[in-house]
Amino acid sequence: MYPTPTRHPAAAVRGPQPATGPIKFTIADTLERIKEEFNFLQAQYHSLKLECEKLASEKTEMQRHYVMYYEMSYGLNVEMHKQTEIAKRLSAIIGQVLPFLAQEHQQQVAAAVERAKQVTMSELNAIIGQQQQQGLQQLLQQIHASGLPHGVGGALLGAGVLFPGAPAPPHLPPPAHKVELPPPADIKPPVLASGPPAPQRDDDRIPTRNMNTQQRRSLSPHEREQKYRPRSPEPETSDVKRRKEEKVGHDSDAEKSDQDLVVDVANEEERGSPSARTEGGERAENGPRPPSRSGSSSSRSTPKSSKDEKPGTPGGKARAPTPTGRYAFPPYAYRPPLPYEGPLARTNGLPPAKPAYSYHTCGGPLQPVPFPADALVGPGIPRGARQVAALPHGEVVCAVALSLSGGSRHAYTGGKGCVKLWDITNPGPNMEPLSQLDCLQRDNYIRSVKLLPDGRTLLVGGEASNLSIWDLSSPTPRIRAELTSSAPACYALAISPDSKVCFSCCSDGNIAVWDLHNQTLVRQFQGHTDGASCIDISPDGSRLWTGGLDNTVRSWDLREGRQLHQHDFSSQIFSLGYCPTGSWLAVGMENSHVEVLHAGKPDRYQLVLHESCVLSLRFAASGKWFVSTGKDNLLNAWRTPYGASIFQSKESSSVLSCDISSDDKFIATGSGDKKATVYEVVY
């Protein structure tokens, strides 16, 4: 059906053809191709090199602009802070002087202050312009009087050399050419006489250029290199050095923020004794540091000279709260001079006018507190305190307690491994302990000592997992029982008013509740995310207050066994106390503040007389006053609740603990110079 295919005649003649193979290059062709590839890669290399050089120059230019921007913003920030400080100080001065003026003058001052607040920038510029014109006229008169050629002053003015940025007067012709002045070698930011000099920082080593465009000119590469070469810091005055040391002390404190409760053993180091041992077995300069469950902490500051710093803090972190590398400005309220002379503190009526140190808020911004006329006078308000005895414990005193029983007074001081008992019924020099209670191992510090209301039982807690109960009724104190918990350390103790229950603040953040009759653990309150550092109980035994290194204060309902409230702060809590006659809670903080909170209202007072961490705090039994001690070596007595300063006492080392006798007649403090101090309260 289909025809049979026939082969092409030519194909039949040629026969089958061989398959085509790959093309073969000669050596010359290969070398030529390699040469072409090399030339192509070399061209790409040169192109990339040019791109890199261009990017490098752009980077240099950006860095130059960044330095200019940084200097401008830094200078503006400095000026803004200075202006703010000046405004605050002026407001404080006006507030202090105003009550002493007549009514008519008070109204005039108030009207002037209101008018000053309403001044706009345009009005301010107009006033500055008028002052510049007046200064200009005086300067021109001096120039003409000095015999300079006619027109020199006008040329300088028109060129912007005199009063840079000011417009030339209309009667003067514009200059034929712009007068160029070489840039100054070094321009420093201005320092106002009313404020302290700025501390020298690493950032200050960046040379400050003149920002006036009328004095700027092009620089050669060599000049630019010389101009922007980092210079050595200038010689510092004693004031600047002191402020630098304070800043260094603050930064060193911030680096220790995760070291929790730290005992002050600086005096041991000064006297050549070995450094304290941590629980992990390693030697540490700042004494034992129990472990913390969190590695971070709140920001603060506590400005203190690194040379004189005594690390007696439960957190060791500074106040202040200025982060490292930022410009540090002094606080508005400074510690006032001591309102007494000699060993007896006296305050006859209100002290002289001084910068505000107590502020109040009821949910809004903080406002300075105007103290009432009877703030420092009245029944139950001390006039001062007199030191009557020094108890040479021999170790850093981290805990202290006072007792009054049967007409005799005793003091208990806790240091390394032991508690010493002292008879202070007749205080005087060369005091000797009555007995010594060996509670912990030799290298572990006692953190808290608490007496039961009957004065015959003592509870001791510290850097160990066990609490010890001591019987003081026998001629020789003896241990009655031990309470063992899972936490490695106990930071503070509290006892219920009926003496049946003990509460211990544990380094793991839990609050352990102990049955003292059966010596058993009843339960644990859990909530703090870091170590619980301080504790107090309400007089009726219904509410418990705890503070922690997690920057919180928590209240607990003891009847229902639950947490009621939580107060958050920006700093670690080192101490607290509940007023026995009212609803006020005083809180001592790592940032040097004392906060006084109302238990049921948003009222809050902030007291800023301390210069470093507030390590202990105690209310008087009358509830009318309380005391606080700190790392700044101060014992402060405050009026409840608004914090009028009753008296101050400066000790020679960090004051780590304090207590007030039940009759409000004696105060005892424990400090880092290995002794306790007993004060008699003078009314």
Side-chain angles (χ1 to χ4, degrees), residues 367-490:
Q367 298 293 336
V369 176
F371 298 137
D374 60 346
L376 302 180
V377 295
I381 306 301
R383 292 192 300 115
R386 176 173 55 242
Q387 180 177 334
V388 294
L391 311 180
H393 183 91
E395 298 288 350
V396 175
V397 180
C398 302
V400 65
L402 292 175
S403 70
L404 173 61
S405 177
S408 61
R409 298 181 183 274
H410 293 89
Y412 302 84
T413 57
K416 261 187 181 180
C418 70
V419 174
K420 293 184 179 181
L421 169 61
W422 310 78
D423 186 354
I424 58 171
T425 307
N426 298 308
N430 305 320
M431 301 287 290
E432 294 291 336
L434 297 179
S435 59
Q436 176 174 316
L437 286 59
D438 294 321
C439 308
L440 304 178
Q441 294 182 1
R442 185 65 184 87
D443 288 339
N444 294 341
Y445 279 89
I446 305 295
R447 290 293 187 175
S448 180
V449 291
K450 283 291 179 181
L451 283 159
L452 267 62
D454 59 7
R456 294 181 297 178
T457 304
L458 181 72
L459 271 70
V460 181
E463 295 174 350
S465 59
N466 61 297
L467 309 178
S468 56
I469 304 176
W470 291 80
D471 183 6
L472 305 178
S473 59
S474 58
T476 301
R478 60 183 181 84
I479 190 167
R480 180 186 300 169
E482 285 193 348
L483 310 176
T484 303
S485 69
S486 58
C490 167

Side-chain angles (χ1 to χ4, degrees), residues 67-98:
V67 171
M68 293 171 58
Y69 169 77
Y70 176 81
E71 292 172 356
M72 293 175 64
S73 60
Y74 174 72
L76 290 175
N77 288 335
V78 171
E79 291 302 322
M80 289 174 61
H81 281 289
K82 288 179 179 177
Q83 297 297 334
T84 304
E85 290 296 316
I86 293 173
K88 287 182 179 179
R89 293 176 184 177
L90 288 176
S91 300
I93 294 172
I94 292 172
Q96 295 170 6
V97 174
L98 197 61

Side-chain angles (χ1 to χ4, degrees), residues 400 629 635 651 655 657-659 667-671 675-679:
V400 65
T629 69
L635 165 68
E651 298 195 9
V655 188
S657 56
C658 68
D659 194 20
I667 301 172
T669 62
S671 60
K675 68 179 177 64
T677 305
V678 180
Y679 298 87

Side-chain angles (χ1 to χ4, degrees), residues 283-585:
R283 310 297 290 185
E285 179 183 358
N286 293 334
R289 304 182 180 97
S292 169
R293 291 196 334 188
S294 75
S296 63
S297 171
S298 64
S299 62
R300 193 22 272 216
S301 106
T302 46
K304 192 72 175 174
S305 171
S306 59
K307 180 180 179 181
D308 300 326
E309 187 72 25
K310 299 189 181 300
T313 94
K317 193 175 62 164
R319 99 52 189 162
T322 54
T324 305
R326 295 188 180 178
Y327 193 88
F329 288 89
Y332 166 51
Y334 295 89
R335 182 176 66 83
L338 301 183
Y340 61 88
E341 296 181 359
L344 174 62
R346 297 183 180 274
T347 55
N348 299 322
L350 284 173
K354 52 194 174 187
Y357 57 86
S358 175
Y359 300 87
H360 175 258
T361 179
C362 193
L366 289 168
Q367 298 293 336
V369 176
F371 298 137
D374 60 346
L376 302 180
V377 295
I381 306 301
R383 292 192 300 115
R386 176 173 55 242
Q387 180 177 334
V388 294
L391 311 180
H393 183 91
E395 298 288 350
V396 175
V397 180
C398 302
V400 65
L402 292 175
S403 70
L404 173 61
S405 177
S408 61
R409 298 181 183 274
H410 293 89
Y412 302 84
T413 57
K416 261 187 181 180
C418 70
V419 174
K420 293 184 179 181
L421 169 61
W422 310 78
D423 186 354
I424 58 171
T425 307
N426 298 308
N430 305 320
M431 301 287 290
E432 294 291 336
L434 297 179
S435 59
Q436 176 174 316
L437 286 59
D438 294 321
C439 308
L440 304 178
Q441 294 182 1
R442 185 65 184 87
D443 288 339
N444 294 341
Y445 279 89
I446 305 295
R447 290 293 187 175
S448 180
V449 291
K450 283 291 179 181
L451 283 159
L452 267 62
D454 59 7
R456 294 181 297 178
T457 304
L458 181 72
L459 271 70
V460 181
E463 295 174 350
S465 59
N466 61 297
L467 309 178
S468 56
I469 304 176
W470 291 80
D471 183 6
L472 305 178
S473 59
S474 58
T476 301
R478 60 183 181 84
I479 190 167
R480 180 186 300 169
E482 285 193 348
L483 310 176
T484 303
S485 69
S486 58
C490 167
Y491 292 158
L493 294 170
I495 300 173
S496 62
D498 58 6
S499 303
K500 294 181 179 180
V501 180
C502 170
F503 305 89
S504 63
C505 289
C506 302
S507 57
D508 58 4
N510 295 332
I511 310 298
V513 184
W514 303 90
D515 183 347
L516 293 180
H517 179 70
N518 299 319
Q519 288 92 42
T520 57
L521 178 64
V522 178
R523 64 171 302 165
Q524 287 189 345
F525 291 132
Q526 297 180 343
H528 287 288
T529 57
D530 204 342
S533 57
C534 48
I535 190 170
D536 202 1
I537 191 170
S538 61
D540 59 359
S542 63
R543 182 175 294 190
L544 189 72
W545 297 86
T546 61
L549 304 180
D550 57 355
N551 304 357
T552 66
V553 170
R554 302 168 190 256
S555 62
W556 311 83
D557 189 330
L558 297 180
R559 293 189 177 95
E560 300 181 6
R562 63 183 181 90
Q563 178 177 316
L564 291 177
H565 303 288
Q566 174 178 327
H567 302 272
D568 296 318
F569 296 91
S570 60
S571 176
Q572 290 179 323
I573 312 301
F574 288 170
S575 55
L576 61 79
Y578 190 76
C579 181
T581 60
S583 301
W584 295 99
L585 177 75

Side-chain angles (χ1 to χ4, degrees), residues 129 132 147 180 221 262 282 306 364 370 386 411 431 531 557 628 647 649 679:
Q132 287 185 350
E180 295 285 353
V262 181
E282 60 187 26
S306 59
R386 176 173 55 242
M431 301 287 290
D557 189 330
S628 63
F647 64 84
S649 177
Y679 298 87

